[in-house]
Amino acid sequence: MAAKLKKSYSAREVAALTGLTARQLRWWDAKELLSASVASRPTAAGGFTERRYSPVDLYELTALAELRRRGFTLQRIRKILLALHEHFGIRLFDALDEDGPVTLRIDGLSIYARTRTGTYHDLLHSPVQPMFMMVEQHFETLGAKPGSRRRRRASKRPAAPAGEK
């Protein structure tokens, strides 16, 4: 049974689901990489309300976290988001669905937008110019699966019984 999406998520919940830290989320918000749908604001009591993220924000942050884990710098991520917006008129969310206007494909070094017609565009170098030829087998599709982040834990394999190797 699939988990039911909430209407909004706290920064703590987003951090737990994406592997990002609350500090990264605040910094990304300050740098206008990806902001919360509901910004923090002062309260009458002198405190601040909590930032809240929509399910779309969560989905995009999960994909951005995956790009960071794959070694993409924030400058490169900003370039990707800008290229999607300026050249395709979409936001990252729209490119994460296999049925979207473009599908994001990664070869480890760069990221490409594959259109419905099959043309590829290098989002980091020349997003306007379609590429001549691409070999499909070298790519992975970028997706977003909240809560599926990889955790680093020490192996807890039991030791082999005496006399066995």
Side-chain angles (χ1 to χ4, degrees):
M1 182 158 119
K4 186 176 179 182
L5 286 178
K6 296 170 55 173
K7 288 184 180 181
S8 69
Y9 297 84
S10 69
R12 181 176 292 146
E13 290 172 314
V14 169
L17 291 167
T18 63
L20 297 168
T21 65
R23 184 175 179 191
Q24 282 175 303
L25 293 171
R26 279 192 307 273
W27 196 79
W28 287 12
D29 192 11
K31 297 294 180 182
E32 298 178 356
L33 186 66
L34 198 142
S35 299
S37 290
V38 179
S40 178
R41 59 187 185 282
T43 65
F48 285 89
T49 61
E50 188 175 45
R51 287 172 293 138
R52 301 295 295 180
Y53 294 88
S54 72
V56 170
D57 297 335
L58 174 63
Y59 200 55
E60 288 183 330
L61 285 164
T62 301
L64 294 178
E66 180 61 24
L67 287 172
R68 287 294 292 143
R69 280 190 283 280
R70 290 173 179 254
F72 284 79
T73 64
L74 291 181
Q75 291 86 356
R76 291 175 80 199
I77 290 172
R78 183 180 300 281
K79 229 175 162 178
I80 292 164
L81 296 176
L82 191 60
L84 288 171
H85 176 73
E86 288 183 354
H87 301 292
F88 297 99
I90 62 173
R91 61 185 284 180
L92 178 60
F93 176 79
D94 300 315
L96 295 174
D97 183 9
E98 288 283 338
D99 296 325
V102 300
T103 304
L104 297 181
R105 306 285 284 162
I106 302 173
D107 68 359
L109 305 172
S110 196
I111 188 163
Y112 307 90
R114 182 181 186 274
T115 66
R116 287 182 180 151
T117 61
T119 61
Y120 278 84
H121 300 262
D122 186 333
L123 294 180
L124 294 173
H125 298 101
S126 56
V128 177
Q129 179 67 38
M131 298 180 75
F132 179 63
M133 184 177 90
M134 299 299 292
V135 179
E136 284 273 336
Q137 66 196 19
H138 299 289
F139 295 102
E140 293 178 54
T141 300
L142 177 67
K145 297 175 187 161
S148 66
R149 67 180 185 169
R150 286 179 248 161
R151 297 181 184 193
R152 295 180 188 178
R153 291 189 179 165
S155 175
K156 291 187 177 183
R157 284 187 285 171
E164 289 186 25
K165 290 193 177 186

